[in-house]
């Protein structure tokens, strides 16, 4: 773990660690996130949000997500003071609502938890949700983390008595804007990710339902999922997370992102 006091000029610009398309995408995502954070000062978040144009709020949230993802990849701590200095600057009064939405977006979309390790100095560390390390196994941990999608899939399996019918899994992901055969701007081609990548890595099992005619398929927890987390941890996590957040959290497709930035 690197020292928190690392000189500012030695830090990579978070804007370079993540492209502008990803920042815009996550800013839009975060605008839908619920405003819940136990570690921020108590203020009227709704009043602050109303006083700030949505576009400006989304931009600040996207910038903070960008910064926190950079810290996550670098395995570095950060603090409220550092976030105010390097990200929000002259918008310190909006820290609570921006930090809350950024943290919620990281948890639900990217599978990254922002945890406070020093309540007096407000120092934070970013860790994989529920201990899942799937992002570190792919492309050296680069790109946007995908553990959030794995959390959703494992949750659906758990809620279906440990066997997730394929139609149930895709039904849940469709509500998030993730569709079979459609390249997603964050998750790529989801069928390959679920039925090949995560099966190969041991997070999921994908098999035909016994005696099913016509053939139907289902997902189960894989051995690596059991090794890195547990059903008990997932149950506790699901009790803390508002389930409506998963259903109402729109993830735009790659086509939508290209249209927004004027790409081909």
């Amino acid at each position: 773990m690197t020292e928190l006091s690392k000189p500012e000029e030695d830090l990579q610009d978070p804007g370079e660690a993540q492209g502008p398309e990803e920042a815009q995408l996550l800013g839009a995502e975060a605008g839908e996130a619920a405003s819940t954070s136990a570690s921020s000062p108590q203020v009227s978040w709704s009043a602050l949000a109303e006083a700030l144009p949505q576009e400006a709020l989304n931009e600040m949230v996207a910038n903070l997500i960008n910064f926190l993802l950079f810290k996550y990849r670098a395995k570095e701590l950060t603090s409220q003071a550092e976030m105010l200095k390097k990200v929000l600057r002259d918008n310190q009064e909006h820290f609570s609502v921006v930090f809350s939405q950024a943290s919620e977006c990281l948890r639900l979309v990217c599978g990254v938890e922002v945890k406070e390790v020093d309540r007096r100095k407000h120092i934070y560390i970013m860790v994989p949700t529920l201990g899942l390390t799937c992002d570190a196994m792919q492309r050296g941990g680069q790109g946007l983390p995908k553990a959030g999608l794995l959390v959703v899939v494992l949750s659906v399996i758990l809620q279906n008595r440990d066997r997730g019918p394929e139609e149930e899994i895709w039904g849940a992901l469709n509500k998030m804007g993730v569709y079979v055969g459609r390249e997603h701007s964050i998750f790529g081609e989801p069928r390959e990710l679920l039925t090949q990548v995560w099966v190969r890595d041991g997070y999921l099992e994908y098999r035909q339902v016994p005696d099913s005619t016509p053939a139907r398929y289902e997902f189960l927890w894989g051995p690596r999922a059991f090794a890195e987390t547990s059903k008990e941890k997932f149950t506790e996590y699901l009790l803390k997370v508002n389930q409506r957040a998963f259903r109402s959290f729109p993830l735009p497709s790659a086509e939508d992102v290209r249209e927004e930035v004027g790409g081909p």
Side-chain angles (χ1 to χ4, degrees):
M1 185 70 69
T2 57
E3 293 295 326
L4 183 60
S5 58
K6 187 174 183 178
E8 181 175 354
E9 58 269 20
D10 291 341
L11 286 172
Q12 177 186 355
D13 181 355
E16 297 176 359
Q18 181 171 300
E21 294 183 19
E22 294 172 341
Q24 292 175 13
L25 170 61
L26 286 175
E29 307 278 3
E32 301 291 335
S35 299
T36 55
S37 175
S39 54
S40 301
Q42 290 187 355
V43 296
S44 176
W45 292 344
S46 58
L48 285 174
E50 290 175 2
L52 190 67
Q54 189 64 46
E55 183 177 352
L57 174 62
N58 287 352
E59 181 178 359
M60 282 191 282
V61 171
N63 289 339
L64 184 55
I65 290 171
N66 212 4
F67 178 78
L68 293 174
L69 281 175
F70 163 69
K71 290 291 188 178
Y72 173 66
R73 294 189 187 103
K75 297 181 171 62
E76 293 179 358
L77 298 170
T78 190
S79 67
Q80 179 174 326
E82 185 180 34
M83 287 183 271
L84 289 172
K85 178 181 179 182
K86 296 183 178 180
V87 183
L88 295 184
R89 298 184 177 88
D90 298 328
N91 297 284
Q92 297 186 10
E93 69 274 17
H94 300 299
F95 176 79
S96 294
V97 65
V98 172
F99 179 77
S100 169
Q101 291 196 14
S103 299
E104 192 75 358
C105 183
L106 283 174
R107 175 167 33 133
L108 296 178
V109 177
C110 299
V112 175
E113 292 279 359
V114 182
K115 292 189 175 182
E116 191 172 38
V117 295
D118 187 326
R119 292 184 177 276
R120 185 173 62 86
K121 297 181 179 180
H122 298 297
I123 296 176
Y124 301 88
I125 187 172
M126 276 59 66
V127 298
T129 297
L130 297 166
L132 297 170
T133 64
C134 56
D135 292 310
M137 302 171 62
Q138 301 174 27
R139 294 187 299 167
Q142 296 303 307
L144 286 171
K146 299 179 175 64
L149 189 69
L150 180 57
V151 168
V152 174
V153 174
L154 293 174
S155 297
V156 174
I157 295 171
L158 184 63
Q159 293 171 333
N160 280 273
R161 298 183 179 181
D162 300 331
R163 292 181 178 179
E166 187 171 26
E167 59 272 18
E168 291 284 341
I169 298 294
W170 293 119
L173 299 187
N174 289 171
K175 295 176 182 177
M176 299 169 60
V178 178
Y179 299 93
V180 174
R182 182 185 298 182
E183 189 78 11
H184 193 274
S185 48
I186 293 179
F187 306 121
E189 207 297 300
R191 175 176 287 281
E192 179 182 0
L193 183 63
L194 268 66
T195 64
Q196 296 183 38
V197 177
W198 283 340
V199 169
R200 182 184 66 239
D201 292 342
Y203 287 103
L204 296 173
E205 290 185 13
Y206 180 64
R207 69 183 189 186
Q208 182 178 342
V209 177
D211 302 322
S212 59
T213 304
R216 291 182 294 108
Y217 292 84
E218 62 185 3
F219 289 92
L220 290 79
W221 280 37
R224 193 179 187 98
F226 283 108
E228 293 185 352
T229 187
S230 67
K231 295 179 182 179
E232 290 75 16
K233 289 181 180 179
F234 255 78
T235 300
E236 293 176 3
Y237 174 81
L238 290 172
L239 289 174
K240 295 177 182 178
V241 174
N242 183 351
Q243 291 304 292
R244 291 182 59 187
F246 287 115
R247 294 194 296 270
S248 63
F249 212 72
L251 302 180
S253 66
E255 290 82 357
D256 295 333
V257 175
R258 283 197 292 268
E259 289 177 2
E260 289 179 9
V261 300

